[in-house]
Amino acid sequence: MADPDSISNIFDFKSKEDTNNWYVINDGVMGGLSSNSLEIMADGKALFKGSVTTENNGGFASVRYAFSKKEVSKFTHIVLRIKGDGKDYQFRIKEEQQQRHSYITPFSTLGKWEIIKISFSKFYPSFRGNTLDIPNFSGKYIEEIAFLIANKTKESFQLEIESILLE
């Protein structure tokens, strides 16, 4: 990792006591039946878990964190400290919370604690599963982040999250 002066927290579950600005959005907004939750565990990590089903036009579960606009131009990467379940996920960024599209990057998990470092240049614009014909993430501001699972299959999932950093 870089020196501590070049790192900034977006969210570190060990130092937070609540998930007030985190919220769940599932495919229920489109009639789907998937479900999930985010809870802080006794060891200070968050657990994003649930089940995804493709019934009733379903197929995704997400958890989002909204915060005051953060200027991020002096950083180049998002760094996730997570423990997945071997499944594929997406990490998503919004420059402004009210914008309809997100900038997304898929990532795979290995079933053990790992650090996933994602370059801002890898975040491409997407809306409802479709890549948009607009520029990739500018790397200037962030106002919302999200984890999403949408593997086009019926499955249970579990993703532990310790921290989300800018580097």
Side-chain angles (χ1 to χ4, degrees):
M1 286 233 178
D3 80 64
D5 293 334
S6 65
I7 297 172
S8 176
N9 267 331
I10 291 179
F11 205 90
D12 184 342
F13 287 95
K14 285 187 179 281
S15 65
K16 300 288 182 177
E17 295 180 2
D18 61 54
T19 56
N20 288 342
N21 292 336
W22 287 87
Y23 59 101
V24 168
I25 294 186
N26 295 319
D27 54 25
V29 298
M30 302 165 17
L33 302 172
S34 299
S35 64
N36 73 301
S37 63
L38 181 77
E39 61 185 70
I40 295 182
M41 300 184 306
D43 64 358
K45 296 174 184 76
L47 179 62
F48 170 44
K49 69 177 181 176
S51 62
V52 175
T53 179
T54 55
E55 295 173 47
N56 286 9
N57 297 316
F60 78 89
S62 72
V63 63
R64 301 176 187 195
Y65 173 56
F67 48 93
S68 297
K69 185 176 276 192
K70 187 173 186 74
E71 199 275 324
V72 298
S73 61
K74 70 179 183 177
F75 303 101
T76 58
H77 292 81
I78 295 282
V79 181
L80 308 174
R81 174 132 167 80
I82 59 169
K83 180 182 178 185
D85 50 12
K87 295 183 170 82
D88 295 333
Y89 293 84
Q90 292 177 11
F91 188 77
R92 299 172 151 241
I93 292 173
K94 284 190 176 186
E95 292 173 311
E96 297 178 358
Q97 187 180 6
Q98 73 274 11
Q99 74 188 33
R100 293 179 58 98
H101 68 280
S102 295
Y103 295 95
I104 70 173
T105 294
F107 66 93
S108 298
T109 61
L110 302 173
K112 62 182 181 179
W113 281 104
E114 58 190 307
I115 294 173
I116 296 178
K117 188 173 179 178
I118 307 166
S119 171
F120 282 167
S121 66
K122 301 287 185 194
F123 286 90
Y124 61 90
S126 179
F127 181 67
R128 293 189 177 158
N130 298 305
T131 301
L132 303 177
D133 188 20
I134 60 174
N136 284 0
F137 177 58
S138 71
K140 293 180 182 176
Y141 299 98
I142 298 176
E143 200 168 74
E144 183 180 275
I145 59 171
F147 290 93
L148 180 136
I149 184 166
N151 295 324
K152 298 180 181 169
T153 187
K154 182 178 181 178
E155 63 186 344
S156 294
F157 66 90
Q158 183 168 301
L159 180 68
E160 290 181 65
I161 310 161
E162 183 177 286
S163 61
I164 304 156
L165 307 172
L166 292 163
E167 185 178 281

